[in-house]
Amino acid sequence: MKPNIAIDGPAGAGKSTVARKLAEKLGFLYIDTGAMYRALTYCALKKGIDINNPDELTELAENVEIFLTADEDGQMRVYCCGEDVTSYLRDPKVSQCVSKVAEVPGVRRRMVELQRKMASAGGVIMDGRDIGTYVLPDAQLKFFITADLEERARRRLKDLEKQGYIADLEEVKKEIAMRDAKDSSRAVAPLKKAEDAVLIDTTNLTVDEVLQLIFKISRERIKDDV
Ligand code: DC
C-alpha cells in the first residue's frame, strides 16, 4: 500500500499549491479538506441555514454528499449536493463563515469520516489543519507549512484577484488573522503542528524552492514508495 502524506498549516501558507504539485509529481491523490468545509459552508448559506446553529449544521453535514474529483486538465472540482461548487469556494462570504462551520463537532465528525474513507487505500496527500494530529495520525509523512501573516495575506490577495474578486490587503489580513485565531483555539481538533511533522517556513521561499525541499524530504523519508 502506498503511504499517506499529511500537510497542515494556517490559512494562506501555500499548503494547497505545494500539496497539489507534490501529488502530481508522486502520482498521489490530492485531497483539499479545507475545500470540503468550504463546500459545506457554501451549501449552508445557500440553503439559508443559520450558521450559528450547530444542530442544523450537523444535520446538513450528515445528509450531504461531498466529493472531490479532477477535470480533464487535472484541476480539482468539488461537488456538494450534486452541484459543482468549485467557483464559490473562495467567495469572501464563505471565507468569513467557514471557521464557524468547521468548529461544530458534528460537522467535523462527518468530514473526518469522509476524509479517512478517502485515505483508506493509501496514496493520498491531504492538506488541512488537523490531518497530522487527528485525521491521519499514522500518516507516514507529515509537514507543517507556515509563513508570516503579512506574506500569507499578500498571497491570498493575489489568488483572490486572479479569481476576479476585488479585495484589500488589510481586510484580507484581518480575515486571515481571525481565522487563525478561531482555527487554533477551537475545542475539537485545533490547528496544531503534530510532534512528528516537519516544519517548513515558506515566508522567504518561492513555490519552487518549497517544492524542491518537500520533494527531497519525501524521497528520503519514504524512499521505497515514491
Ligand atoms: O485551507 P482553507 O483556508 O481552505 O480552510 C478553510 C477553513 O476550513 C479553515 O479556516 C479552517 C477549516 N478547516 C478545518 O477546520 N480543518 C481542516 N482539516 C481544513 C480546514
Side-chain angles (χ1 to χ4, degrees):
M1 194 165 108
K2 279 187 185 173
N4 286 321
I5 300 178
I7 302 187
D8 291 299
K15 300 182 299 288
S16 54
T17 309
V18 165
R20 196 172 44 242
K21 297 202 169 178
L22 186 64
E24 262 171 41
K25 238 177 157 168
L26 300 179
F28 280 32
L29 175 70
Y30 167 50
I31 296 169
D32 174 354
T33 62
M36 297 171 71
Y37 289 97
R38 286 174 181 272
L40 187 72
T41 303
Y42 169 74
C43 189
L45 291 169
K46 193 175 168 199
K47 286 181 186 288
I49 286 174
D50 177 5
I51 65 149
N52 292 305
N53 185 327
D55 293 339
E56 282 186 33
L57 288 170
T58 300
E59 196 189 329
L60 176 71
E62 279 170 356
N63 291 296
V64 293
E65 280 307 321
I66 295 179
F67 70 90
L68 289 86
T69 176
D71 64 17
E72 312 93 73
D73 302 328
Q75 296 298 313
M76 184 191 69
R77 315 280 334 163
V78 182
Y79 288 80
C80 188
C81 306
E83 185 191 355
D84 181 350
V85 299
T86 317
S87 59
Y88 307 114
L89 299 179
R90 301 273 159 200
D91 188 284
K93 184 80 191 144
V94 171
S95 297
Q96 256 171 39
C97 298
V98 62
S99 286
K100 189 91 208 156
V101 174
E103 74 185 3
V104 174
V107 165
R108 300 202 72 80
R109 198 166 51 235
R110 170 77 172 141
M111 294 300 118
V112 170
E113 179 189 308
L114 294 174
Q115 290 154 11
R116 286 183 178 153
K117 210 185 272 172
M118 289 189 264
S120 60
V124 154
I125 297 187
M126 196 174 272
D127 84 19
R129 303 292 188 286
D130 57 343
I131 310 304
T133 52
Y134 186 71
V135 181
L136 305 175
D138 297 330
Q140 285 80 346
L141 184 54
K142 301 176 185 178
F143 292 102
F144 191 87
I145 300 190
T146 188
D148 70 27
L149 177 63
E150 186 77 28
E151 178 59 22
R152 289 190 284 127
R154 263 199 298 268
R155 291 178 191 166
R156 222 355 96 85
L157 184 70
K158 254 200 213 157
D159 281 352
L160 284 168
E161 285 174 348
K162 249 197 242 158
Q163 291 173 45
Y165 291 108
I166 298 168
D168 167 79
L169 183 64
E170 285 311 309
E171 282 301 309
V172 176
K173 212 155 90 180
K174 242 196 269 164
E175 183 255 314
I176 289 185
M178 186 204 76
R179 276 206 291 137
D180 282 355
K182 256 188 167 323
D183 295 342
S184 309
S185 64
R186 67 170 171 242
V188 189
L191 166 67
K192 205 171 81 188
K193 179 187 164 303
E195 270 177 24
D196 51 350
V198 180
L199 175 70
I200 297 183
D201 184 337
T202 69
T203 308
N204 297 308
L205 299 177
T206 64
V207 172
D208 278 346
E209 286 168 336
V210 178
L211 253 183
Q212 273 175 23
L213 184 61
I214 287 198
F215 194 56
K216 181 171 167 276
I217 297 170
S218 304
R219 272 252 146 91
E220 286 165 4
R221 295 279 182 98
I222 48 179
K223 16 179 163 10
D224 299 336
D225 304 284
V226 297

